[in-house]
Amino acid sequence: DIVMTQSPDSLAVSLGERATINCKSSQSVLYNSNNKNYLAWYQQKPGQPPKLLIYWASTRESGVPDRFSGSGSGTDFTLTISSLQAEDVAVYYCQQYYSIPITFGQGTRLDIK
Amino acid sequence: QVQLVQSGAEVKKPGASVKVSCKASGYTFSSYYILWVRQTPGQGLEWMGVIKPSGGSTGYAQNFQGRVTMTRDTSTSTVYMELSSLTSEDTAMYYCARAWGDHAPFDFWGQGTLVTVSS
């Protein structure tokens, strides 16, 4: 199984500041034949299911604000929120869908400082 | 609009089985895979398996092999997940979600079904 490890486990950022969450996979999730990274990011708010934010490591899902961006390739990935808003308080998960079983990171809790 | 509506919360005794439903609407049922994910405080998000509504083929996570069965009813656009031999460690929120393929992100999720296993 591919193990997904996020860092940090939690962080607090001031409103309007940048938030950065990292995700590392135990093996590459880059599929060479199409040059796509099979990596997604989700946001989960209390009492709600996860919501897809980013897929293919850097493609923003329709309707997701452009302050959210994803980067990275191979085994190392980053989710960046360029200017933190109050509604961004949530737990964020990375996920690899390169191989079965599909696996998730342990989550990163993001709060307002 | 796309909806995945799951059945209500369940309380089961150890050793029992639970069957959770996930009714899809707002899109072509046969065009998307349905995945099941469970969430516990200790284990986080755990992929349980997948069913392809067109044809009904399934794939299960090794951790659940022999205990989980996923089926679908195309006449009602509903997918079912049955988990047997329940223990307290199966107490969790269970989600269905859809994806355009078996190697694709989960672009829409059900609201979740809380299953509590307690004697």
Side-chain angles (χ1 to χ4, degrees), chain B residues 46-97:
Chain B
E46 188 175 15
W47 180 84
M48 299 179 67
V50 57
I51 183 167
K52 186 177 181 182
S54 62
S57 59
T58 56
Y60 303 135
Q62 189 77 11
N63 289 349
F64 299 97
Q65 283 280 359
R67 282 212 302 143
V68 69
T69 304
M70 297 176 188
T71 56
R72 95 288 189 220
D73 181 345
T74 56
S75 68
T76 60
S77 299
T78 301
V79 170
Y80 300 91
M81 186 282 297
E82 184 169 22
L83 188 63
S84 63
S85 303
L86 294 170
T87 72
S88 59
E89 295 189 349
D90 294 315
T91 293
M93 184 71 79
Y94 290 78
Y95 293 103
C96 63

Side-chain angles (χ1 to χ4, degrees), chain A residues 1-6 23-30 37-42 56-57 74-75 77 93-105, chain B residues 47 102-106:
Chain A
D1 298 4
I2 297 178
V3 177
M4 307 299 290
T5 304
Q6 293 180 227
C23 175
K24 189 174 184 67
S25 57
S26 62
Q27 62 191 75
S28 177
V29 298
L30 174 63
N37 287 283
Y38 284 53
L39 189 284
W41 289 96
Y42 297 85
W56 302 133
T75 61
F77 301 91
Y93 296 93
C94 61
Q95 175 210 43
Q96 67 79 21
Y97 46 96
Y98 178 88
S99 70
I100 300 298
I102 293 169
T103 50
F104 295 84
Chain B
W47 180 84
D102 56 352
H103 292 272
F106 305 170

Side-chain angles (χ1 to χ4, degrees), chain B residues 12-14 117-119:
Chain B
K12 295 292 182 181
K13 293 196 181 303
V117 182
S118 174
S119 55

Side-chain angles (χ1 to χ4, degrees), chain A residues 4-81:
Chain A
M4 307 299 290
T5 304
Q6 293 180 227
S7 61
D9 288 335
S10 64
L11 78 160
V13 174
S14 300
L15 289 173
E17 295 300 305
R18 179 186 300 264
T20 301
I21 299 170
N22 300 301
C23 175
K24 189 174 184 67
S25 57
S26 62
Q27 62 191 75
S28 177
V29 298
L30 174 63
Y31 191 39
N32 290 326
S33 67
N34 60 11
N35 201 36
K36 286 183 181 292
N37 287 283
Y38 284 53
L39 189 284
W41 289 96
Y42 297 85
Q43 174 194 66
Q44 187 177 30
K45 297 181 179 180
Q48 297 183 18
K51 173 189 172 185
L52 178 64
L53 296 176
I54 303 281
Y55 58 97
W56 302 133
S58 61
T59 301
R60 202 177 301 114
E61 173 73 331
S62 176
V64 172
D66 60 7
R67 64 180 180 273
F68 291 91
S69 64
S71 62
S73 185
T75 61
D76 292 280
F77 301 91
T78 300
L79 174 69
T80 301
I81 306 173

